[in-house]
Amino acid sequence: MLTIAHLSDIHLGQVHLGDGGERARRRSERVMAYLDALPGPLDAVLVTGDLADHGLAEEYRQVAKVLSSRHPVLTCPGNHDRRSPYREVLLGEAPGEEPVNRLHRLPGADVLMLDSSIPKQDDGLLDDGTLDWLDAELASGRTQLPALVAFHHPPVELHLPYVDPIRQFGAVRLARVLRRHPRVAALFCGHAHTPAATTFAGLPLLVAPGVVSTVTLPCEGGRGISFDHPPMLALHVIDGDRRTTTHYRVVSPA
Ligand SMILES: [Fe+2]
Ligand SMILES: [Fe+2]
């Protein structure tokens, strides 16, 4: 059994009502403090993109500090991130504009963190090289273990007017790859800033709540994005049958 925490869209550097980015930093620190204070272990913490609000090197220095944890923290970029400073500051690698795709081998599962960002665009796409890489990694190595696949942009409509036009496109290609690999237990994404669950390619698609804001449904009124909801996170439990059960937790913003 695996227990995975999942948060997203911490947007460090986001200025809210002229606060110099304080609110985003404070909320992110609260969420990470919640996880660090858990008495039990976590197998990993997934952070599915929009780590920095403007993709600046100084923002990634803050990201590195805020996301440092006693748990293994696995990240992927979102549309607000920039690949070169992400690589240099967060990963300690040479700068480069290729997609930032990473395989993490946990003791009980492979976790594939994919880059669905398109430089200078808000919508998303897993490019052909990323999908080929995913296909090859799922087919190789520890095929007896479950695989978890994460990216920033949801590949389906979530019925959110704010997010649906900037979702992940070209998703039929992703579905084709996923259907070839029954070891994939579930899919994880961010970008939508709302705790949501749906399906894609016959798999659970679990959307992380946003830390800095919450995107709302038309029936909830307002302008489609709320800064009043508290930050949240998800805890996913993957059992021996590769069934994923998700629990959401609210964290006090103060
Ligand atoms: Fe975001
Ligand atoms: Fe995003």
Side-chain angles (χ1 to χ4, degrees):
M1 195 175 79
L2 294 157
T3 306
I4 307 273
H6 182 195
L7 58 129
S8 200
D9 294 84
I10 60 176
H11 285 265
L12 291 184
Q14 182 183 77
V15 175
H16 181 72
L17 301 177
D19 75 342
E22 260 309 286
R23 181 178 173 282
R25 185 187 55 77
R26 191 179 64 245
R27 283 183 161 228
S28 304
E29 285 175 348
R30 297 286 298 190
V31 169
M32 293 306 292
Y34 177 91
L35 296 176
D36 272 348
L38 293 176
L42 295 169
D43 292 283
V45 178
L46 308 189
V47 191
T48 45
D50 283 356
L51 310 181
D53 198 48
H54 308 92
L56 302 174
E58 68 211 52
E59 292 176 340
Y60 289 112
R61 281 190 276 279
Q62 197 178 102
V63 170
K65 206 166 148 196
V66 168
L67 293 185
S68 74
S69 169
R70 69 185 181 91
H71 309 294
V73 176
L74 317 181
T75 63
C76 65
N79 53 303
H80 281 253
D81 292 299
R82 299 289 173 267
R83 288 171 178 166
S84 272
Y86 182 108
R87 274 199 164 86
E88 276 191 286
V89 181
L90 210 52
L91 306 180
E93 298 177 1
E97 289 302 320
E98 289 298 301
V100 185
N101 301 313
R102 290 291 180 277
L103 164 68
H104 301 274
R105 294 195 189 282
L106 303 181
D110 285 348
V111 183
L112 296 107
M113 305 294 292
L114 307 182
D115 186 346
S116 64
S117 71
I118 306 170
K120 299 187 177 149
Q121 286 184 216
D122 283 330
D123 59 338
L125 179 85
L126 296 174
D127 73 9
D128 289 344
T130 295
L131 288 174
D132 290 347
W133 177 83
L134 174 66
D135 200 20
E137 293 294 353
L138 287 172
S140 67
R142 309 184 307 166
T143 51
Q144 77 285 3
L145 290 181
L148 314 180
V149 177
F151 36 73
H152 182 64
H153 298 79
V156 294
E157 290 188 352
L158 299 174
H159 312 293
L160 297 168
Y162 209 82
V163 173
D164 289 344
I166 52 168
R167 68 185 184 276
Q168 181 188 145
F169 292 94
V172 174
R173 297 147 55 250
L174 170 62
R176 213 176 286 136
V177 172
L178 294 169
R179 288 188 195 282
R180 280 201 283 273
H181 301 282
R183 62 185 293 227
V184 179
L187 310 171
F188 306 89
C189 70
H191 190 51
H193 294 220
T194 182
T198 181
T199 59
F200 177 76
L203 293 164
L205 171 64
L206 303 161
V207 186
V211 170
V212 292
S213 59
T214 298
V215 174
T216 53
L217 289 162
C219 68
E220 294 174 281
R223 60 190 183 100
I225 185 159
S226 163
F227 290 87
D228 297 329
H229 289 68
M232 292 179 69
L233 59 97
L235 295 169
H236 306 293
V237 181
I238 298 106
D239 68 19
D241 294 326
R242 296 182 187 171
R243 183 172 46 231
T244 302
T245 306
T246 298
H247 304 255
Y248 291 107
R249 291 291 176 267
V250 175
V251 177
S252 164

